Each structure stands twice: as structure tokens, then as C-alpha cells.
Amino acid sequence: MPVAVPTTTTHTTTASLKGIAKAHLSRPKNDDGSPLYPEFMPFYDPLEKVEDLGEFDHFDPGHRADPTFPNLMKDATKSFDLSPHVGTEILGVQISQLNSAGLDELALLTAQRGALVFRDQDFGDLGFEKQKEIVRHFGPLHIHGWAPHPAGGSEEHMIIYDHKDDLRVRKSWAGRSPVQWHTDQSPEPQTPGTTFLCMLESPSTAGGDTLISSSVRAYYALSPKFRKRLDGLMAIHSNSDGVQQEMKNANAVMRRKMLTTAHPVVIVHPVTKQKALYVNPVYTQKIVGFDKEESDYLLNFLYDHIAKRQDFSCRVRYEAGTVVIWDQRVTNHSQTLDYPVGDRRHAFRLTPLANKPIPALVEDDQGECAGDEQRVQLNLC
């Protein structure tokens, strides 16, 4: 409901606005400045090594899901879309209480909406093993090649940490825009699917949000003839830039060898069958078969298309107990780093690997433009 703000003096107005902001933003901090979740503090071991998972069979749980979502939504008190094409916030549902059928439905809805946001979750307090048990429902868990995991154990928990006592993230983006659209670990032969991020502690001010963009809408927003030119192309994905950046740190952690893999430029989601752009400026390096100038020209256009088209993106704001679940096959995302340097932003990510990307087939023109009402109305055919 509207809040009346006194305006008799500047002092009264300012005080009231501060009170309103405090009442509407739950971002707790310890009085002594210590982390709220010390068991999730980042741990770096430069001698640590892990083996590649190797090829595995993957069955997406979304195939089993009831499309009416009776198990996922039975306790929901409210749900609303963050934007027309990506992002839905669901209130009243505890992820930890979902049964197997509810998790199947979670996979399907995440694939359809790109990202789901849940508030007031107990997920961060479940313990490492229970958290992993839930997320393994969606696939075997990825172990990051150089990012930290908790000091208390669990290599699968990737720790996201920015604070004055650990500016590793800030330094890695020094002199560059921290807004870098990407899909996590796209150089993996079998790439991430339904991914969980649990926010443990947010900056004391506003900020530290995550930007999420629909790769499905990014594809379908292109003209039909241009889409057909992209179908069937392959691109090289590599984490070589990330490896080189990590090696600049005094105690560099390189648990795995560098990865380089070719993936389709346009992929098909195994459950929804929708096509999606699968390129990103962090990991995608070159279009296979194109000269460098040609590849750079096309990829830079697609990166610009993703970055500028805010009409198919959303911004997720965090508060205590927020869990974001997104399908990395149909989205790109970015951090913001827009809060004061030195403030603590602390989260963990659990990343299930999924299917080997499915290429979109080059199809004959079946009148897609004539069947697109918006394009017809705007005389774009």
C-alpha cells in the first residue's frame, strides 16, 4: 500500500525514506563485521587436483514433469513474472520440502521461464550433503577449475565471495566492465543445466544483483532469414582467458586442465524443444570455418544483441534467504559489482552438468516470417 512521507522539513523526509528502505530490504549483517556463514568461507589449495567427469548419460527430469505443476506450486502463495520473456518469482514454496515430482516440475518450469526466484529459503542452512542431494536430482555436480570451495569441505560448492579481505573477484575485472554476459562453464563437453545459486550475505546497500537474459528470445528476436544462417554453425568455447587471469594470482588454483570444445551456435533444449543462442563473450572464441574477421564480426553482433536487448532480460535483487535457479542452456547472465568496494557479497553455486548441446538443424523456409504477426504488422517480411 502507498506510504505517506512527511514533507514538512528536509530532515523529516530523509529520515522517513531511510526507514522505508530499511523496512523493505532484508540484508542482515553481524555487528562485529564477521561473515554470517563462516563455514562457507572460500578455501584455496594450489595443489588440489580433480579428474574430469567424462562422458555420461543424462536424462532431464523435466521430461517426467506434470506441466500443471501440482507438486511445485501446491504451497505457493503468490507468483509473478519478472519480465515477459525470462524470470518468475515464486513465494510460499520451500525448495527443501519438494518431493521428487516437485523437483521434476521445477526443472520444467525453469526451462520454460529461464530463471526462478525463491525467497525466505532454508536452503543455506541444510548442510553441504543435503544441498548436494537436492541439486544432484538435475545431474552430476560440476567442480570448478579454479574458483574456491568452502573451507569446511565439498569441492562441488563453488563459493562466490567479494569482500575487503578477499578482492580476488574485483581484481579480476579491474579496468574492465564487470558486466559480462556468459553461460557458466560452456567449454565443458556436457554443459550446465538447472543451476542453483544461494545468497548467504548481500551487500549492506542495494546492489550485487544478477542480470539474466533469455537466449531463447535472443534467438527468436532475430529475423527468420538471419536465424537460418546461424542454424548449423559451430563455435569454439574455451576457458583459456580465465586460466590466464587466474595464473596472475600469487596462489593460483588450477585443479583441472584447460578446456576447449566446439558447440552449436544455436542449440535445442531437450525438453521444451525451443531453440536458443549458445554463444557468450566470456568463453566463445571463434565460429568454426569462418576467417577471424568474419567470425569476430558475427560474434560481436550477437554479443551486442544480447547485451543491448533489455526487453528480454530481468534483474534479480537479493535479500536474506534468496535462491535463484536458472537453466543455463536457455539463458545468459552477469554479475553487477555495483556496490561499494569492500562490502561483503557471499553466495554459493551448485552446478549440475546436463546433456551435450543439441544442434539446431538447418530447416527449409516454412513461412516463419509470414506467420509472425508482429513482423507482418510492422512490414518486416
Side-chain angles (χ1 to χ4, degrees), residues 173-186:
W173 294 108
R176 298 184 291 165
S177 169
V179 177
Q180 296 287 336
W181 293 98
H182 66 286
T183 299
D184 292 322
Q185 309 308 311
S186 65

Side-chain angles (χ1 to χ4, degrees), residues 149-162:
H149 58 69
S154 183
E155 296 174 334
E156 295 88 349
H157 281 72
M158 177 196 158
I159 298 303
I160 301 165
Y161 191 77
D162 183 37

Side-chain angles (χ1 to χ4, degrees), residues 10 53 63 75 97 110 124 134 177 181 188 190 198 215-216 264 290 294-295 353:
T10 302
L53 183 61
H63 284 297
D75 295 324
Q97 300 302 309
T110 305
I134 292 172
S177 169
W181 293 98
E188 291 285 349
Q190 292 184 234
C198 178
S215 302
V216 172
F290 280 27
E294 298 166 345
S295 175
L353 296 176

Side-chain angles (χ1 to χ4, degrees), residues 181-183 186 215 230 233-237 263-267 276-287 298-303 306 329 331-332:
W181 293 98
H182 66 286
T183 299
S186 65
S215 302
L230 299 179
L233 295 179
M234 300 289 288
I236 301 298
H237 293 241
H263 290 314
V265 171
V266 182
I267 66 172
L277 279 180
Y278 199 72
V279 295
N280 69 85
V282 173
Y283 293 117
T284 310
Q285 294 188 335
K286 187 180 186 299
I287 304 292
L298 179 55
L299 286 175
N300 286 333
F301 166 77
L302 294 177
Y303 301 156
I306 293 167
R329 294 163 292 190
T331 55
N332 272 278

